[in-house]
């Protein structure tokens, strides 16, 4: 199946710092999604990107759909303790039914 | 309004036993997905239902796994003769529709399965 490489695997940052994480794929995707998962919960959609080059913000979060359609990044500015969790990228290509998920970036924020 | 619910929230079973996991999607959502999430890993697509169409079973890892959905309501994921490698969180998601456009998937809290 499709492989999504998500990095970094984990991050330890100080409150107030900015954070950046990214996903790359060997295949072209039509859509990129970014989710956050809190412990014991299902993932919650943060940002959806539908066009190559698209840059979308949601509060302190900004994500971009790479021009090559093979990558995406997520930035979090001025991190706060409640940003702690696991962030997943997901890509969709061709078959609208199927989504491929990265392995996640675990974010830890020190107050 | 009510979100996606799953039951049980936790299940411990012995190797070789069958288990049945349940998902109640959001009312009115025609599409339903099952995913498996192993510890520390991303989500692995298992199966997809859309209305009365034939389900996309391409992600099911073996013939021990099966799923059913009646109409646009509850779905059950059954794992027969469980193995220790089946231990994972099984997540269900639903969305309004699918096909020509992407709709947001809403996830349930998952069922944590431990096979001893």
């Amino acid at each position: 199946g499709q492989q999504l490489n998500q990095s970094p695997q984990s991050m330890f940052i100080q409150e107030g710092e900015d954070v950046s994480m990214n996903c790359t794929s060997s295949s072209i995707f039509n859509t990129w999604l970014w989710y956050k998962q809190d412990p014991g919960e299902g993932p919650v959609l943060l940002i959806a990107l539908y066009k190559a080059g698209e840059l979308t913000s949601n509060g302190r979060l900004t994500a971009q759909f790479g021009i090559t359609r093979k990558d995406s990044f997520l930035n979090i500015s001025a991190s706060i303790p409640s940003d702690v969790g696991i962030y997943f990228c997901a890509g969709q290509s061709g078959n609208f039914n199927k989504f491929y998920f990265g392995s996640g970036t675990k974010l830890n924020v020190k107050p | 309004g009510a979100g996606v619910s799953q039951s049980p929230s936790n299940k411990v079973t012995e190797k070789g036993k069958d288990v049945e996991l349940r998902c109640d999607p959001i009312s009115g959502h025609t599409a339903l997905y099952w995913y498996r999430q192993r510890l520390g890993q991303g989500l692995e697509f298992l199966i997809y239902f859309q209305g009365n169409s034939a389900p996309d079973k391409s992600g099911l890892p073996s013939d021990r796994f099966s799923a059913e959905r009646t109409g646009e309501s509850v779905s059950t994921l059954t794992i027969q003769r469980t193995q220790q490698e089946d231990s994972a969180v099984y997540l269900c998601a639903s969305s309004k529709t699918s096909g020509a456009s992407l709709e947001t998937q809403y996830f349930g809290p998952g069922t944590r399965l431990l096979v001893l």
Side-chain angles (χ1 to χ4, degrees), chain A residues 31 37 40 42-43 88 95-99 101-102, chain B residues 33 37 42-43 48 56 58 98-99 102 105 107-108 112:
Chain A
T31 303
Q37 186 176 29
F88 290 100
N95 184 343
F96 288 97
N97 309 334
K98 214 169 272 187
F99 301 86
F101 281 77
Chain B
Y33 304 77
Q37 186 177 28
L43 280 65
Y48 158 80
D56 179 348
S58 59
S98 182
L102 178 71
Q105 291 182 42
F107 282 84
R112 278 143 199 83

mmCIF file with all atom_site columns, all heavy atoms in Angstrom, chain A residues 31 37 40 42-43 88 95-99 101-102, chain B residues 33 37 42-43 48 56 58 98-99 102 105 107-108 112:
data_model
loop_
_atom_site.group_PDB
_atom_site.id
_atom_site.type_symbol
_atom_site.label_atom_id
_atom_site.label_alt_id
_atom_site.label_comp_id
_atom_site.label_asym_id
_atom_site.label_entity_id
_atom_site.label_seq_id
_atom_site.pdbx_PDB_ins_code
_atom_site.Cartn_x
_atom_site.Cartn_y
_atom_site.Cartn_z
_atom_site.occupancy
_atom_site.B_iso_or_equiv
_atom_site.pdbx_formal_charge
_atom_site.auth_seq_id
_atom_site.auth_comp_id
_atom_site.auth_asym_id
_atom_site.auth_atom_id
_atom_site.pdbx_PDB_model_num
ATOM 1   N N   . THR A 1 31  ? -5.463  14.930 -1.756 1.00 0.00 ? 31  THR A N   1
ATOM 2   C CA  . THR A 1 31  ? -5.892  15.619 -0.539 1.00 0.00 ? 31  THR A CA  1
ATOM 3   C C   . THR A 1 31  ? -4.929  15.269 0.586  1.00 0.00 ? 31  THR A C   1
ATOM 4   O O   . THR A 1 31  ? -4.498  14.115 0.691  1.00 0.00 ? 31  THR A O   1
ATOM 5   C CB  . THR A 1 31  ? -7.309  15.162 -0.135 1.00 0.00 ? 31  THR A CB  1
ATOM 6   O OG1 . THR A 1 31  ? -8.204  15.393 -1.208 1.00 0.00 ? 31  THR A OG1 1
ATOM 7   C CG2 . THR A 1 31  ? -7.798  15.895 1.102  1.00 0.00 ? 31  THR A CG2 1
ATOM 8   N N   . GLN A 1 37  ? -4.690  13.514 17.865 1.00 0.00 ? 37  GLN A N   1
ATOM 9   C CA  . GLN A 1 37  ? -5.283  12.462 18.697 1.00 0.00 ? 37  GLN A CA  1
ATOM 10  C C   . GLN A 1 37  ? -4.835  12.635 20.135 1.00 0.00 ? 37  GLN A C   1
ATOM 11  O O   . GLN A 1 37  ? -3.633  12.624 20.428 1.00 0.00 ? 37  GLN A O   1
ATOM 12  C CB  . GLN A 1 37  ? -4.897  11.080 18.174 1.00 0.00 ? 37  GLN A CB  1
ATOM 13  C CG  . GLN A 1 37  ? -5.595  9.942  18.895 1.00 0.00 ? 37  GLN A CG  1
ATOM 14  C CD  . GLN A 1 37  ? -5.272  8.587  18.289 1.00 0.00 ? 37  GLN A CD  1
ATOM 15  O OE1 . GLN A 1 37  ? -4.210  8.386  17.739 1.00 0.00 ? 37  GLN A OE1 1
ATOM 16  N NE2 . GLN A 1 37  ? -6.207  7.641  18.395 1.00 0.00 ? 37  GLN A NE2 1
ATOM 17  N N   . GLY A 1 40  ? -6.626  8.094  24.485 1.00 0.00 ? 40  GLY A N   1
ATOM 18  C CA  . GLY A 1 40  ? -7.927  7.482  24.709 1.00 0.00 ? 40  GLY A CA  1
ATOM 19  C C   . GLY A 1 40  ? -9.038  8.002  23.830 1.00 0.00 ? 40  GLY A C   1
ATOM 20  O O   . GLY A 1 40  ? -10.214 7.666  24.030 1.00 0.00 ? 40  GLY A O   1
ATOM 21  N N   . GLY A 1 42  ? -10.400 9.229  19.658 1.00 0.00 ? 42  GLY A N   1
ATOM 22  C CA  . GLY A 1 42  ? -10.147 9.092  18.237 1.00 0.00 ? 42  GLY A CA  1
ATOM 23  C C   . GLY A 1 42  ? -9.543  10.367 17.688 1.00 0.00 ? 42  GLY A C   1
ATOM 24  O O   . GLY A 1 42  ? -9.613  11.421 18.314 1.00 0.00 ? 42  GLY A O   1
ATOM 25  N N   . PRO A 1 43  ? -8.940  10.294 16.509 1.00 0.00 ? 43  PRO A N   1
ATOM 26  C CA  . PRO A 1 43  ? -8.355  11.493 15.904 1.00 0.00 ? 43  PRO A CA  1
ATOM 27  C C   . PRO A 1 43  ? -9.428  12.530 15.582 1.00 0.00 ? 43  PRO A C   1
ATOM 28  O O   . PRO A 1 43  ? -10.550 12.189 15.234 1.00 0.00 ? 43  PRO A O   1
ATOM 29  C CB  . PRO A 1 43  ? -7.705  10.965 14.623 1.00 0.00 ? 43  PRO A CB  1
ATOM 30  C CG  . PRO A 1 43  ? -7.571  9.495  14.827 1.00 0.00 ? 43  PRO A CG  1
ATOM 31  C CD  . PRO A 1 43  ? -8.712  9.105  15.702 1.00 0.00 ? 43  PRO A CD  1
ATOM 32  N N   . PHE A 1 88  ? -1.281  13.370 13.290 1.00 0.00 ? 88  PHE A N   1
ATOM 33  C CA  . PHE A 1 88  ? -1.188  12.463 12.151 1.00 0.00 ? 88  PHE A CA  1
ATOM 34  C C   . PHE A 1 88  ? -1.469  13.215 10.853 1.00 0.00 ? 88  PHE A C   1
ATOM 35  O O   . PHE A 1 88  ? -2.390  14.016 10.784 1.00 0.00 ? 88  PHE A O   1
ATOM 36  C CB  . PHE A 1 88  ? -2.225  11.342 12.253 1.00 0.00 ? 88  PHE A CB  1
ATOM 37  C CG  . PHE A 1 88  ? -1.960  10.344 13.322 1.00 0.00 ? 88  PHE A CG  1
ATOM 38  C CD1 . PHE A 1 88  ? -2.632  10.418 14.538 1.00 0.00 ? 88  PHE A CD1 1
ATOM 39  C CD2 . PHE A 1 88  ? -1.045  9.318  13.131 1.00 0.00 ? 88  PHE A CD2 1
ATOM 40  C CE1 . PHE A 1 88  ? -2.394  9.486  15.533 1.00 0.00 ? 88  PHE A CE1 1
ATOM 41  C CE2 . PHE A 1 88  ? -0.804  8.382  14.127 1.00 0.00 ? 88  PHE A CE2 1
ATOM 42  C CZ  . PHE A 1 88  ? -1.483  8.478  15.327 1.00 0.00 ? 88  PHE A CZ  1
ATOM 43  N N   . ASN A 1 95  ? -8.829  6.742  -5.149 1.00 0.00 ? 95  ASN A N   1
ATOM 44  C CA  . ASN A 1 95  ? -9.987  6.148  -4.499 1.00 0.00 ? 95  ASN A CA  1
ATOM 45  C C   . ASN A 1 95  ? -10.424 7.015  -3.330 1.00 0.00 ? 95  ASN A C   1
ATOM 46  O O   . ASN A 1 95  ? -9.734  7.119  -2.318 1.00 0.00 ? 95  ASN A O   1
ATOM 47  C CB  . ASN A 1 95  ? -9.619  4.746  -4.005 1.00 0.00 ? 95  ASN A CB  1
ATOM 48  C CG  . ASN A 1 95  ? -10.796 4.024  -3.392 1.00 0.00 ? 95  ASN A CG  1
ATOM 49  O OD1 . ASN A 1 95  ? -11.800 4.636  -3.043 1.00 0.00 ? 95  ASN A OD1 1
ATOM 50  N ND2 . ASN A 1 95  ? -10.664 2.722  -3.238 1.00 0.00 ? 95  ASN A ND2 1
ATOM 51  N N   . PHE A 1 96  ? -11.591 7.662  -3.466 1.00 0.00 ? 96  PHE A N   1
ATOM 52  C CA  . PHE A 1 96  ? -12.013 8.602  -2.434 1.00 0.00 ? 96  PHE A CA  1
ATOM 53  C C   . PHE A 1 96  ? -12.353 7.915  -1.126 1.00 0.00 ? 96  PHE A C   1
ATOM 54  O O   . PHE A 1 96  ? -12.569 8.563  -0.122 1.00 0.00 ? 96  PHE A O   1
ATOM 55  C CB  . PHE A 1 96  ? -13.219 9.409  -2.923 1.00 0.00 ? 96  PHE A CB  1
ATOM 56  C CG  . PHE A 1 96  ? -12.855 10.412 -3.980 1.00 0.00 ? 96  PHE A CG  1
ATOM 57  C CD1 . PHE A 1 96  ? -13.028 10.128 -5.314 1.00 0.00 ? 96  PHE A CD1 1
ATOM 58  C CD2 . PHE A 1 96  ? -12.304 11.633 -3.628 1.00 0.00 ? 96  PHE A CD2 1
ATOM 59  C CE1 . PHE A 1 96  ? -12.678 11.041 -6.287 1.00 0.00 ? 96  PHE A CE1 1
ATOM 60  C CE2 . PHE A 1 96  ? -11.953 12.556 -4.599 1.00 0.00 ? 96  PHE A CE2 1
ATOM 61  C CZ  . PHE A 1 96  ? -12.142 12.256 -5.938 1.00 0.00 ? 96  PHE A CZ  1
ATOM 62  N N   . ASN A 1 97  ? -12.453 6.591  -1.178 1.00 0.00 ? 97  ASN A N   1
ATOM 63  C CA  . ASN A 1 97  ? -12.793 5.861  0.034  1.00 0.00 ? 97  ASN A CA  1
ATOM 64  C C   . ASN A 1 97  ? -11.613 5.629  0.948  1.00 0.00 ? 97  ASN A C   1
ATOM 65  O O   . ASN A 1 97  ? -11.790 5.310  2.109  1.00 0.00 ? 97  ASN A O   1
ATOM 66  C CB  . ASN A 1 97  ? -13.350 4.479  -0.328 1.00 0.00 ? 97  ASN A CB  1
ATOM 67  C CG  . ASN A 1 97  ? -14.452 4.575  -1.339 1.00 0.00 ? 97  ASN A CG  1
ATOM 68  O OD1 . ASN A 1 97  ? -15.122 5.585  -1.417 1.00 0.00 ? 97  ASN A OD1 1
ATOM 69  N ND2 . ASN A 1 97  ? -14.634 3.534  -2.112 1.00 0.00 ? 97  ASN A ND2 1
ATOM 70  N N   . LYS A 1 98  ? -10.414 5.722  0.403  1.00 0.00 ? 98  LYS A N   1
ATOM 71  C CA  . LYS A 1 98  ? -9.269  5.234  1.139  1.00 0.00 ? 98  LYS A CA  1
ATOM 72  C C   . LYS A 1 98  ? -8.325  6.355  1.553  1.00 0.00 ? 98  LYS A C   1
ATOM 73  O O   . LYS A 1 98  ? -7.952  7.185  0.745  1.00 0.00 ? 98  LYS A O   1
ATOM 74  C CB  . LYS A 1 98  ? -8.524  4.224  0.276  1.00 0.00 ? 98  LYS A CB  1
ATOM 75  C CG  . LYS A 1 98  ? -7.889  3.118  1.053  1.00 0.00 ? 98  LYS A CG  1
ATOM 76  C CD  . LYS A 1 98  ? -7.408  2.037  0.133  1.00 0.00 ? 98  LYS A CD  1
ATOM 77  C CE  . LYS A 1 98  ? -8.474  1.031  -0.151 1.00 0.00 ? 98  LYS A CE  1
ATOM 78  N NZ  . LYS A 1 98  ? -7.948  -0.104 -0.919 1.00 0.00 ? 98  LYS A NZ  1
ATOM 79  N N   . PHE A 1 99  ? -7.942  6.328  2.804  1.00 0.00 ? 99  PHE A N   1
ATOM 80  C CA  . PHE A 1 99  ? -7.015  7.301  3.352  1.00 0.00 ? 99  PHE A CA  1
ATOM 81  C C   . PHE A 1 99  ? -5.812  6.563  3.931  1.00 0.00 ? 99  PHE A C   1
ATOM 82  O O   . PHE A 1 99  ? -5.962  5.540  4.570  1.00 0.00 ? 99  PHE A O   1
ATOM 83  C CB  . PHE A 1 99  ? -7.684  8.124  4.453  1.00 0.00 ? 99  PHE A CB  1
ATOM 84  C CG  . PHE A 1 99  ? -8.899  8.860  3.982  1.00 0.00 ? 99  PHE A CG  1
ATOM 85  C CD1 . PHE A 1 99  ? -10.143 8.257  3.974  1.00 0.00 ? 99  PHE A CD1 1
ATOM 86  C CD2 . PHE A 1 99  ? -8.795  10.163 3.524  1.00 0.00 ? 99  PHE A CD2 1
ATOM 87  C CE1 . PHE A 1 99  ? -11.262 8.928  3.525  1.00 0.00 ? 99  PHE A CE1 1
ATOM 88  C CE2 . PHE A 1 99  ? -9.914  10.838 3.076  1.00 0.00 ? 99  PHE A CE2 1
ATOM 89  C CZ  . PHE A 1 99  ? -11.138 10.219 3.068  1.00 0.00 ? 99  PHE A CZ  1
ATOM 90  N N   . PHE A 1 101 ? -2.519  6.877  6.440  1.00 0.00 ? 101 PHE A N   1
ATOM 91  C CA  . PHE A 1 101 ? -2.084  7.677  7.572  1.00 0.00 ? 101 PHE A CA  1
ATOM 92  C C   . PHE A 1 101 ? -0.588  7.540  7.807  1.00 0.00 ? 101 PHE A C   1
ATOM 93  O O   . PHE A 1 101 ? -0.009  6.459  7.643  1.00 0.00 ? 101 PHE A O   1
ATOM 94  C CB  . PHE A 1 101 ? -2.827  7.246  8.844  1.00 0.00 ? 101 PHE A CB  1
ATOM 95  C CG  . PHE A 1 101 ? -4.224  7.790  8.935  1.00 0.00 ? 101 PHE A CG  1
ATOM 96  C CD1 . PHE A 1 101 ? -5.248  7.233  8.190  1.00 0.00 ? 101 PHE A CD1 1
ATOM 97  C CD2 . PHE A 1 101 ? -4.507  8.859  9.776  1.00 0.00 ? 101 PHE A CD2 1
ATOM 98  C CE1 . PHE A 1 101 ? -6.544  7.738  8.273  1.00 0.00 ? 101 PHE A CE1 1
ATOM 99  C CE2 . PHE A 1 101 ? -5.803  9.360  9.858  1.00 0.00 ? 101 PHE A CE2 1
ATOM 100 C CZ  . PHE A 1 101 ? -6.817  8.804  9.105  1.00 0.00 ? 101 PHE A CZ  1
ATOM 101 N N   . GLY A 1 102 ? 0.030   8.642  8.225  1.00 0.00 ? 102 GLY A N   1
ATOM 102 C CA  . GLY A 1 102 ? 1.404   8.584  8.702  1.00 0.00 ? 102 GLY A CA  1
ATOM 103 C C   . GLY A 1 102 ? 1.445   7.945  10.077 1.00 0.00 ? 102 GLY A C   1
ATOM 104 O O   . GLY A 1 102 ? 0.409   7.677  10.687 1.00 0.00 ? 102 GLY A O   1
ATOM 105 N N   . TYR B 2 33  ? -16.171 3.762  8.183  1.00 0.00 ? 33  TYR B N   1
ATOM 106 C CA  . TYR B 2 33  ? -14.831 3.201  8.017  1.00 0.00 ? 33  TYR B CA  1
ATOM 107 C C   . TYR B 2 33  ? -14.429 2.474  9.289  1.00 0.00 ? 33  TYR B C   1
ATOM 108 O O   . TYR B 2 33  ? -14.755 2.920  10.388 1.00 0.00 ? 33  TYR B O   1
ATOM 109 C CB  . TYR B 2 33  ? -13.799 4.311  7.781  1.00 0.00 ? 33  TYR B CB  1
ATOM 110 C CG  . TYR B 2 33  ? -14.082 5.231  6.611  1.00 0.00 ? 33  TYR B CG  1
ATOM 111 C CD1 . TYR B 2 33  ? -15.039 6.239  6.707  1.00 0.00 ? 33  TYR B CD1 1
ATOM 112 C CD2 . TYR B 2 33  ? -13.341 5.124  5.437  1.00 0.00 ? 33  TYR B CD2 1
ATOM 113 C CE1 . TYR B 2 33  ? -15.276 7.098  5.641  1.00 0.00 ? 33  TYR B CE1 1
ATOM 114 C CE2 . TYR B 2 33  ? -13.569 5.984  4.370  1.00 0.00 ? 33  TYR B CE2 1
ATOM 115 C CZ  . TYR B 2 33  ? -14.539 6.962  4.483  1.00 0.00 ? 33  TYR B CZ  1
ATOM 116 O OH  . TYR B 2 33  ? -14.762 7.810  3.435  1.00 0.00 ? 33  TYR B OH  1
ATOM 117 N N   . GLN B 2 37  ? -5.278  0.561  14.771 1.00 0.00 ? 37  GLN B N   1
ATOM 118 C CA  . GLN B 2 37  ? -4.137  1.369  15.202 1.00 0.00 ? 37  GLN B CA  1
ATOM 119 C C   . GLN B 2 37  ? -3.321  0.573  16.199 1.00 0.00 ? 37  GLN B C   1
ATOM 120 O O   . GLN B 2 37  ? -3.746  0.379  17.354 1.00 0.00 ? 37  GLN B O   1
ATOM 121 C CB  . GLN B 2 37  ? -4.595  2.695  15.814 1.00 0.00 ? 37  GLN B CB  1
ATOM 122 C CG  . GLN B 2 37  ? -3.449  3.639  16.152 1.00 0.00 ? 37  GLN B CG  1
ATOM 123 C CD  . GLN B 2 37  ? -3.918  4.979  16.691 1.00 0.00 ? 37  GLN B CD  1
ATOM 124 O OE1 . GLN B 2 37  ? -4.990  5.086  17.291 1.00 0.00 ? 37  GLN B OE1 1
ATOM 125 N NE2 . GLN B 2 37  ? -3.120  6.021  16.483 1.00 0.00 ? 37  GLN B NE2 1
ATOM 126 N N   . GLY B 2 42  ? 0.399   4.648  13.127 1.00 0.00 ? 42  GLY B N   1
ATOM 127 C CA  . GLY B 2 42  ? -0.713  5.341  12.508 1.00 0.00 ? 42  GLY B CA  1
ATOM 128 C C   . GLY B 2 42  ? -1.894  4.409  12.284 1.00 0.00 ? 42  GLY B C   1
ATOM 129 O O   . GLY B 2 42  ? -1.896  3.262  12.709 1.00 0.00 ? 42  GLY B O   1
ATOM 130 N N   . LEU B 2 43  ? -2.900  4.937  11.612 1.00 0.00 ? 43  LEU B N   1
ATOM 131 C CA  . LEU B 2 43  ? -4.120  4.176  11.376 1.00 0.00 ? 43  LEU B CA  1
ATOM 132 C C   . LEU B 2 43  ? -4.005  3.353  10.101 1.00 0.00 ? 43  LEU B C   1
ATOM 133 O O   . LEU B 2 43  ? -3.539  3.840  9.072  1.00 0.00 ? 43  LEU B O   1
ATOM 134 C CB  . LEU B 2 43  ? -5.312  5.132  11.249 1.00 0.00 ? 43  LEU B CB  1
ATOM 135 C CG  . LEU B 2 43  ? -5.906  5.665  12.539 1.00 0.00 ? 43  LEU B CG  1
ATOM 136 C CD1 . LEU B 2 43  ? -4.942  6.557  13.298 1.00 0.00 ? 43  LEU B CD1 1
ATOM 137 C CD2 . LEU B 2 43  ? -7.202  6.383  12.266 1.00 0.00 ? 43  LEU B CD2 1
ATOM 138 N N   . TYR B 2 48  ? -14.485 -0.239 4.337  1.00 0.00 ? 48  TYR B N   1
ATOM 139 C CA  . TYR B 2 48  ? -15.281 0.965  4.118  1.00 0.00 ? 48  TYR B CA  1
ATOM 140 C C   . TYR B 2 48  ? -16.663 0.552  3.620  1.00 0.00 ? 48  TYR B C   1
ATOM 141 O O   . TYR B 2 48  ? -16.791 -0.298 2.743  1.00 0.00 ? 48  TYR B O   1
ATOM 142 C CB  . TYR B 2 48  ? -14.567 1.841  3.095  1.00 0.00 ? 48  TYR B CB  1
ATOM 143 C CG  . TYR B 2 48  ? -15.437 2.833  2.380  1.00 0.00 ? 48  TYR B CG  1
ATOM 144 C CD1 . TYR B 2 48  ? -15.794 4.028  2.995  1.00 0.00 ? 48  TYR B CD1 1
ATOM 145 C CD2 . TYR B 2 48  ? -15.898 2.595  1.078  1.00 0.00 ? 48  TYR B CD2 1
ATOM 146 C CE1 . TYR B 2 48  ? -16.587 4.951  2.329  1.00 0.00 ? 48  TYR B CE1 1
ATOM 147 C CE2 . TYR B 2 48  ? -16.693 3.512  0.416  1.00 0.00 ? 48  TYR B CE2 1
ATOM 148 C CZ  . TYR B 2 48  ? -17.030 4.685  1.038  1.00 0.00 ? 48  TYR B CZ  1
ATOM 149 O OH  . TYR B 2 48  ? -17.814 5.598  0.399  1.00 0.00 ? 48  TYR B OH  1
ATOM 150 N N   . ASP B 2 56  ? -15.829 -1.924 0.534  1.00 0.00 ? 56  ASP B N   1
ATOM 151 C CA  . ASP B 2 56  ? -14.431 -2.042 0.120  1.00 0.00 ? 56  ASP B CA  1
ATOM 152 C C   . ASP B 2 56  ? -13.683 -2.750 1.237  1.00 0.00 ? 56  ASP B C   1
ATOM 153 O O   . ASP B 2 56  ? -13.387 -2.153 2.262  1.00 0.00 ? 56  ASP B O   1
ATOM 154 C CB  . ASP B 2 56  ? -13.858 -0.642 -0.139 1.00 0.00 ? 56  ASP B CB  1
ATOM 155 C CG  . ASP B 2 56  ? -12.389 -0.669 -0.553 1.00 0.00 ? 56  ASP B CG  1
ATOM 156 O OD1 . ASP B 2 56  ? -11.740 -1.721 -0.432 1.00 0.00 ? 56  ASP B OD1 1
ATOM 157 O OD2 . ASP B 2 56  ? -11.877 0.386  -0.978 1.00 0.00 ? 56  ASP B OD2 1
ATOM 158 N N   . SER B 2 58  ? -10.695 -4.157 0.997  1.00 0.00 ? 58  SER B N   1
ATOM 159 C CA  . SER B 2 58  ? -9.317  -4.383 0.577  1.00 0.00 ? 58  SER B CA  1
ATOM 160 C C   . SER B 2 58  ? -8.290  -4.268 1.695  1.00 0.00 ? 58  SER B C   1
ATOM 161 O O   . SER B 2 58  ? -7.173  -4.753 1.568  1.00 0.00 ? 58  SER B O   1
ATOM 162 C CB  . SER B 2 58  ? -8.957  -3.406 -0.551 1.00 0.00 ? 58  SER B CB  1
ATOM 163 O OG  . SER B 2 58  ? -9.120  -2.079 -0.121 1.00 0.00 ? 58  SER B OG  1
ATOM 164 N N   . SER B 2 98  ? -19.532 9.999  0.408  1.00 0.00 ? 98  SER B N   1
ATOM 165 C CA  . SER B 2 98  ? -18.234 9.868  -0.212 1.00 0.00 ? 98  SER B CA  1
ATOM 166 C C   . SER B 2 98  ? -18.451 9.589  -1.689 1.00 0.00 ? 98  SER B C   1
ATOM 167 O O   . SER B 2 98  ? -19.549 9.337  -2.123 1.00 0.00 ? 98  SER B O   1
ATOM 168 C CB  . SER B 2 98  ? -17.444 8.750  0.441  1.00 0.00 ? 98  SER B CB  1
ATOM 169 O OG  . SER B 2 98  ? -16.162 8.653  -0.126 1.00 0.00 ? 98  SER B OG  1
ATOM 170 N N   . GLY B 2 99  ? -17.401 9.605  -2.454 1.00 0.00 ? 99  GLY B N   1
ATOM 171 C CA  . GLY B 2 99  ? -17.549 9.365  -3.885 1.00 0.00 ? 99  GLY B CA  1
ATOM 172 C C   . GLY B 2 99  ? -16.807 10.403 -4.657 1.00 0.00 ? 99  GLY B C   1
ATOM 173 O O   . GLY B 2 99  ? -15.616 10.273 -4.885 1.00 0.00 ? 99  GLY B O   1
ATOM 174 N N   . LEU B 2 102 ? -14.548 14.695 -0.955 1.00 0.00 ? 102 LEU B N   1
ATOM 175 C CA  . LEU B 2 102 ? -14.072 14.237 0.336  1.00 0.00 ? 102 LEU B CA  1
ATOM 176 C C   . LEU B 2 102 ? -14.893 14.877 1.439  1.00 0.00 ? 102 LEU B C   1
ATOM 177 O O   . LEU B 2 102 ? -15.097 16.073 1.445  1.00 0.00 ? 102 LEU B O   1
ATOM 178 C CB  . LEU B 2 102 ? -12.604 14.631 0.497  1.00 0.00 ? 102 LEU B CB  1
ATOM 179 C CG  . LEU B 2 102 ? -11.961 14.275 1.826  1.00 0.00 ? 102 LEU B CG  1
ATOM 180 C CD1 . LEU B 2 102 ? -11.783 12.784 1.897  1.00 0.00 ? 102 LEU B CD1 1
ATOM 181 C CD2 . LEU B 2 102 ? -10.636 14.977 1.954  1.00 0.00 ? 102 LEU B CD2 1
ATOM 182 N N   . GLN B 2 105 ? -14.215 12.938 8.116  1.00 0.00 ? 105 GLN B N   1
ATOM 183 C CA  . GLN B 2 105 ? -14.501 11.739 8.892  1.00 0.00 ? 105 GLN B CA  1
ATOM 184 C C   . GLN B 2 105 ? -14.499 12.087 10.372 1.00 0.00 ? 105 GLN B C   1
ATOM 185 O O   . GLN B 2 105 ? -13.587 12.759 10.846 1.00 0.00 ? 105 GLN B O   1
ATOM 186 C CB  . GLN B 2 105 ? -13.433 10.675 8.648  1.00 0.00 ? 105 GLN B CB  1
ATOM 187 C CG  . GLN B 2 105 ? -13.457 10.094 7.251  1.00 0.00 ? 105 GLN B CG  1
ATOM 188 C CD  . GLN B 2 105 ? -12.412 9.024  7.085  1.00 0.00 ? 105 GLN B CD  1
ATOM 189 O OE1 . GLN B 2 105 ? -12.199 8.190  7.963  1.00 0.00 ? 105 GLN B OE1 1
ATOM 190 N NE2 . GLN B 2 105 ? -11.758 9.015  5.956  1.00 0.00 ? 105 GLN B NE2 1
ATOM 191 N N   . PHE B 2 107 ? -14.314 10.443 14.064 1.00 0.00 ? 107 PHE B N   1
ATOM 192 C CA  . PHE B 2 107 ? -13.876 9.191  14.663 1.00 0.00 ? 107 PHE B CA  1
ATOM 193 C C   . PHE B 2 107 ? -14.556 8.937  16.002 1.00 0.00 ? 107 PHE B C   1
ATOM 194 O O   . PHE B 2 107 ? -14.832 9.862  16.769 1.00 0.00 ? 107 PHE B O   1
ATOM 195 C CB  . PHE B 2 107 ? -12.361 9.210  14.881 1.00 0.00 ? 107 PHE B CB  1
ATOM 196 C CG  . PHE B 2 107 ? -11.570 8.963  13.631 1.00 0.00 ? 107 PHE B CG  1
ATOM 197 C CD1 . PHE B 2 107 ? -11.278 10.004 12.759 1.00 0.00 ? 107 PHE B CD1 1
ATOM 198 C CD2 . PHE B 2 107 ? -11.112 7.687  13.315 1.00 0.00 ? 107 PHE B CD2 1
ATOM 199 C CE1 . PHE B 2 107 ? -10.543 9.779  11.599 1.00 0.00 ? 107 PHE B CE1 1
ATOM 200 C CE2 . PHE B 2 107 ? -10.384 7.460  12.157 1.00 0.00 ? 107 PHE B CE2 1
ATOM 201 C CZ  . PHE B 2 107 ? -10.098 8.499  11.299 1.00 0.00 ? 107 PHE B CZ  1
ATOM 202 N N   . GLY B 2 108 ? -14.787 7.660  16.287 1.00 0.00 ? 108 GLY B N   1
ATOM 203 C CA  . GLY B 2 108 ? -15.190 7.242  17.617 1.00 0.00 ? 108 GLY B CA  1
ATOM 204 C C   . GLY B 2 108 ? -13.971 7.131  18.511 1.00 0.00 ? 108 GLY B C   1
ATOM 205 O O   . GLY B 2 108 ? -12.830 7.274  18.045 1.00 0.00 ? 108 GLY B O   1
ATOM 206 N N   . ARG B 2 112 ? -10.219 -0.809 22.580 1.00 0.00 ? 112 ARG B N   1
ATOM 207 C CA  . ARG B 2 112 ? -8.882  -1.333 22.836 1.00 0.00 ? 112 ARG B CA  1
ATOM 208 C C   . ARG B 2 112 ? -8.963  -2.832 23.053 1.00 0.00 ? 112 ARG B C   1
ATOM 209 O O   . ARG B 2 112 ? -9.553  -3.288 24.022 1.00 0.00 ? 112 ARG B O   1
ATOM 210 C CB  . ARG B 2 112 ? -8.293  -0.647 24.088 1.00 0.00 ? 112 ARG B CB  1
ATOM 211 C CG  . ARG B 2 112 ? -7.702  0.688  23.777 1.00 0.00 ? 112 ARG B CG  1
ATOM 212 C CD  . ARG B 2 112 ? -7.941  1.711  24.876 1.00 0.00 ? 112 ARG B CD  1
ATOM 213 N NE  . ARG B 2 112 ? -7.765  3.050  24.336 1.00 0.00 ? 112 ARG B NE  1
ATOM 214 C CZ  . ARG B 2 112 ? -8.722  3.714  23.672 1.00 0.00 ? 112 ARG B CZ  1
ATOM 215 N NH1 . ARG B 2 112 ? -9.924  3.206  23.518 1.00 0.00 ? 112 ARG B NH1 1
ATOM 216 N NH2 . ARG B 2 112 ? -8.473  4.907  23.167 1.00 0.00 ? 112 ARG B NH2 1
#
